[in-house]
């Protein structure tokens, strides 16, 4: 008889592999179906991990060229060996994907390479690379197939001149000019990489601000910092067409406000206008599993589709398209299958843009609090007044703390500054326990550290900031 699993996970990205591991830890016999040769999904293979590797490498290159001298470190004739940089990035990816192989073996998780789809609520059909098919019997299914880059109909990806984030990680040479369409996390991060390496980067954004739904004041602050670094911005504008001739792209741009038209030339155009769920070909329509107009799978509060044993997580369902959100949903789904009280607190999902300085946030923005008529108080503190930031020559940016005007409960924290991606988790933890700005202000913060800026901003909520 065919083997029956307690859980088959379709997709091995952060949500899928973490959910599979948690299920195995809880005693569920688990199998993962992955269409690609390596585990890890978009995040580990062509997303979070390789982009951060290039961000760190390009930052080191930029520091060697522009900042080391101020430290008394003399480096002459700083050069770029792009193939070595890309090779290091690939090694980082390989180490991470191999790590998942190890974890699957350690937790006795089976795996099958191929494209998985629901044949029924208890059967997953896998089409293998050679075209053969295999049916996996299972009591539960976790759909964790992630997302793919949005493509503009008038600017189709060709992988060379018009590229998605995937190809932008492997450009063989530094473009003389690059146009980035979209000023969200992906556009700003990869735009920063190639700008640091020598490209003339122009970012075109439909909205009137960068950084998506992040705090407007700090978004403006980050834009000014990136502009000082050399990044150019055209905001309140839409791209309406693109012609490619002899490896040069001519992008048509139109003002949202008054319709004024212009054109830009570039060697590479990075289209970074968001992502869409990878929900086609999963057998959802055949089983009547609902999707919305954008392709997101409909689930209840327990991450279940219309069938109690078929779960969907991560980028497949509404919410922030973030790896750590998918991980928590994978864990929650596995725990619910095992009869435990799995839960995800969506109010404390942090968001990070890994430019330098970094932009990290958790909770509500001022704009959202005003829209919801919530009374709040604000405390801010600039990194220019932080001793550690001065010592590190990383004084750009600031911390903003938002607390309820009456209860002092922490409602949101927003950071543009050095290592904001690490600093934000203090706020996440306090908010997870419904803590207050005073809790942050009265907690020890070692001196001198970047984290002291959070404490000072929290003190500022009560008008007690100690300016240096």
């Amino acid at each position: 008889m065919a083997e029956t699993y307690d859980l088959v996970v379709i997709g091995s990205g952060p949500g899928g592999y973490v959910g599979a591991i948690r299920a195995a830890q809880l005693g569920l016999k688990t199998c993962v179906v992955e269409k690609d040769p390596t585990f890890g999904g978009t995040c580990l293979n062509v997303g979070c991990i390789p982009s951060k590797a290039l961000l760190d490498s390009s930052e080191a290159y930029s520091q060697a060229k522009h900042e080391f001298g101020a430290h008394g470190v003399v480096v002459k004739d700083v050069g770029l060996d792009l193939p070595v940089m890309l090779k290091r990035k690939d090694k980082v990816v390989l180490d991470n994907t191999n790590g998942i192989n190890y974890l699957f073996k350690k937790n006795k998780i089976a795996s099958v390479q191929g494209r998985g789809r629901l044949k029924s609520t208890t059967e997953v059909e896998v089409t293998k690379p050679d075209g053969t098919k295999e049916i996996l019997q299972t009591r539960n299914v976790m759909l964790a197939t992630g997302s793919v880059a949005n493509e503009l109909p008038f600017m189709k990806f060709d992988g060379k001149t018009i590229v998605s984030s995937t190809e932008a990680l492997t450009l063989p040479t530094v473009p003389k000019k690059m146009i980035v369409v979209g000023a969200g996390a992906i556009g700003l991060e990869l735009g920063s990489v190639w700008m640091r390496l020598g490209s003339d980067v122009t970012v075109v954004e439909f909205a009137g601000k960068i950084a998506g739904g992040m705090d407007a004041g700090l978004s403006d602050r980050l834009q000014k910092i990136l502009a000082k670094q050399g990044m150019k911005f055209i905001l309140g504008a839409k791209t309406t067409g693109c012609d490619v001739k002899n490896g040069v792209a001519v992008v048509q741009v139109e003002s949202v406000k008054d319709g004024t038209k212009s054109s830009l030339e570039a060697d590479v155009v990075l289209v970074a206008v968001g992502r869409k769920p990878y929900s086609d070909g999963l057998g959802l329509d055949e089983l009547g599993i609902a999707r919305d107009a954008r392709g997101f799978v409909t689930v209840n509060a327990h991450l279940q589709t219309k069938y109690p044993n078929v779960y969907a997580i991560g980028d497949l369902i509404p919410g922030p398209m973030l790896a750590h959100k998918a991980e928590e949903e994978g864990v929650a789904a596995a725990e619910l299958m095992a009869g435990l009280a799995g839960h995800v607190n969506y109010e404390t999902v942090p968001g990070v843009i890994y430019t330098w300085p970094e932009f990290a946030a958790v909770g509500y923005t001022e704009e959202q609090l005003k829209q919801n008529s919530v009374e709040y108080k604000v405390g801010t503190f600039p990194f220019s007044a932080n001793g550690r930031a001065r010592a590190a020559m990383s004084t750009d940016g600031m911390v903003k703390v938002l607390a309820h005007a009456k209860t002092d409960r922490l409602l949101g924290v927003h950071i543009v500054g050095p290592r904001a991606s690490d600093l934000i988790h203090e706020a996440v933890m306090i908010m997870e326990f419904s803590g207050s700005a005073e809790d942050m202000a009265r907690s020890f913060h070692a001196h001198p550290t970047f984290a002291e800026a959070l404490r000072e901003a929290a003190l500022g909520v009560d008008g007690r900031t100690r300016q240096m």
Side-chain angles (χ1 to χ4, degrees), residues 315-383:
D315 290 1
L316 266 187
I317 66 175
M321 300 178 95
L322 299 170
H324 43 281
K325 177 255 197 185
E327 289 181 2
E328 291 306 306
E329 288 174 340
V331 169
E335 291 177 344
L336 288 163
M337 290 175 206
L340 302 178
H343 173 69
V344 178
N345 182 3
Y346 292 101
E347 292 186 0
T348 59
V349 180
V352 181
I353 299 177
Y354 295 86
T355 49
W356 191 265
E358 296 175 334
F359 191 174
V362 63
Y364 295 99
T365 64
E366 283 197 76
E367 295 74 34
Q368 291 170 327
L369 293 176
K370 290 175 182 175
Q371 185 177 359
N372 294 323
S373 299
V374 177
E375 296 182 48
Y376 66 95
K377 294 189 292 185
V378 184
T380 63
F381 192 78
F383 279 98

Side-chain angles (χ1 to χ4, degrees), residues 14-32:
Y17 88 76
V18 171
I21 290 170
R22 182 61 180 138
Q25 290 172 340
L26 293 170
L28 301 183
K29 189 175 183 180
T30 303
C31 179
V32 174

Side-chain angles (χ1 to χ4, degrees), residues 73-120:
V73 179
V74 180
V75 181
K76 295 182 179 180
D77 300 323
V78 177
L80 172 66
D81 191 331
L82 184 58
V84 171
M85 187 178 288
L86 295 176
K87 186 176 180 180
R88 189 195 83 90
K89 176 259 299 178
D90 293 339
K91 176 65 165 54
V92 171
V93 170
L94 181 63
D95 289 345
N96 278 273
T97 56
N98 283 344
I100 300 178
N101 288 334
Y102 167 77
L103 290 170
F104 279 6
K105 291 177 182 178
K106 177 183 177 181
N107 290 281
K108 297 180 173 58
I109 296 170
S111 63
V112 179
Q113 186 185 353
R115 293 183 178 272
R117 65 182 297 275
L118 293 168
K119 186 175 178 64
S120 72

Side-chain angles (χ1 to χ4, degrees), residues 36-86:
D36 295 323
T38 56
F39 297 126
T42 295
C43 178
L44 268 68
N45 288 279
V46 291
C48 319
I49 300 302
S51 64
K52 303 311 165 285
L54 286 182
L55 280 160
D56 282 342
S57 292
S58 62
E59 178 62 19
Y61 174 72
S62 179
Q63 287 178 329
K65 286 195 71 174
H66 306 296
E67 298 177 23
F68 281 1
H71 289 277
V73 179
V74 180
V75 181
K76 295 182 179 180
D77 300 323
V78 177
L80 172 66
D81 191 331
L82 184 58
V84 171
M85 187 178 288
L86 295 176

Side-chain angles (χ1 to χ4, degrees), residues 92-361:
V92 171
V93 170
L94 181 63
D95 289 345
N96 278 273
T97 56
N98 283 344
I100 300 178
N101 288 334
Y102 167 77
L103 290 170
F104 279 6
K105 291 177 182 178
K106 177 183 177 181
N107 290 281
K108 297 180 173 58
I109 296 170
S111 63
V112 179
Q113 186 185 353
R115 293 183 178 272
R117 65 182 297 275
L118 293 168
K119 186 175 178 64
S120 72
T121 59
T122 58
E123 296 174 301
V124 172
E125 179 185 80
V126 183
T127 303
K128 298 183 178 181
D130 63 4
T132 61
K133 298 182 185 296
E134 179 180 355
I135 303 296
L136 305 176
Q137 304 290 333
T138 183
R139 296 181 179 86
N140 297 282
V141 177
M142 186 187 299
L143 302 174
T145 49
S147 61
V148 295
N150 279 328
E151 186 176 50
L152 295 173
F154 51 83
M155 202 178 293
K156 297 284 188 179
F157 297 132
D158 62 21
K160 294 181 180 180
T161 306
I162 302 176
V163 301
S164 71
S165 58
T166 298
E167 294 83 26
L169 295 167
T170 58
L171 298 179
T173 59
V174 178
K176 290 182 180 179
K177 290 187 177 182
M178 171 181 274
I179 295 170
V180 178
V181 183
I186 294 173
L188 294 177
E189 289 177 12
L190 291 176
S192 290
V193 166
W194 295 106
M195 176 185 69
R196 293 168 187 167
L197 299 181
S199 184
D200 183 346
V201 175
T202 300
V203 179
V204 181
E205 168 58 45
F206 182 85
K209 63 180 284 293
I210 70 169
M214 302 284 259
D215 178 90
L218 290 191
S219 294
D220 182 65
R221 192 167 187 130
L222 178 62
Q223 182 189 334
K224 288 182 171 64
I225 294 169
L226 293 177
K228 189 168 63 174
Q229 294 174 7
M231 190 174 288
K232 301 172 184 176
F233 294 93
I234 302 176
L235 304 182
K238 60 182 178 180
T239 53
T240 58
C242 181
D243 297 313
V244 178
K245 292 182 179 179
N246 300 321
V248 176
V250 179
V251 178
Q252 283 76 48
V253 178
E254 181 179 315
S255 169
V256 174
K257 182 178 180 180
D258 59 19
T260 302
K261 297 179 181 180
S262 59
S263 62
L264 302 170
E265 288 189 1
D267 307 286
V268 172
V269 178
L270 166 59
V271 179
V273 291
R275 299 179 64 82
K276 60 184 179 181
Y278 187 87
S279 56
D280 291 335
L282 296 179
L284 304 179
D285 297 339
E286 291 85 340
L287 293 180
I289 294 175
R291 292 187 286 169
D292 67 16
R294 296 177 60 193
F296 289 106
V297 177
T298 301
V299 293
N300 62 18
H302 289 164
L303 304 168
Q304 296 164 307
T305 64
K306 64 180 286 187
Y307 302 105
N309 69 320
V310 179
Y311 297 73
I313 67 166
D315 290 1
L316 266 187
I317 66 175
M321 300 178 95
L322 299 170
H324 43 281
K325 177 255 197 185
E327 289 181 2
E328 291 306 306
E329 288 174 340
V331 169
E335 291 177 344
L336 288 163
M337 290 175 206
L340 302 178
H343 173 69
V344 178
N345 182 3
Y346 292 101
E347 292 186 0
T348 59
V349 180
V352 181
I353 299 177
Y354 295 86
T355 49
W356 191 265
E358 296 175 334
F359 191 174

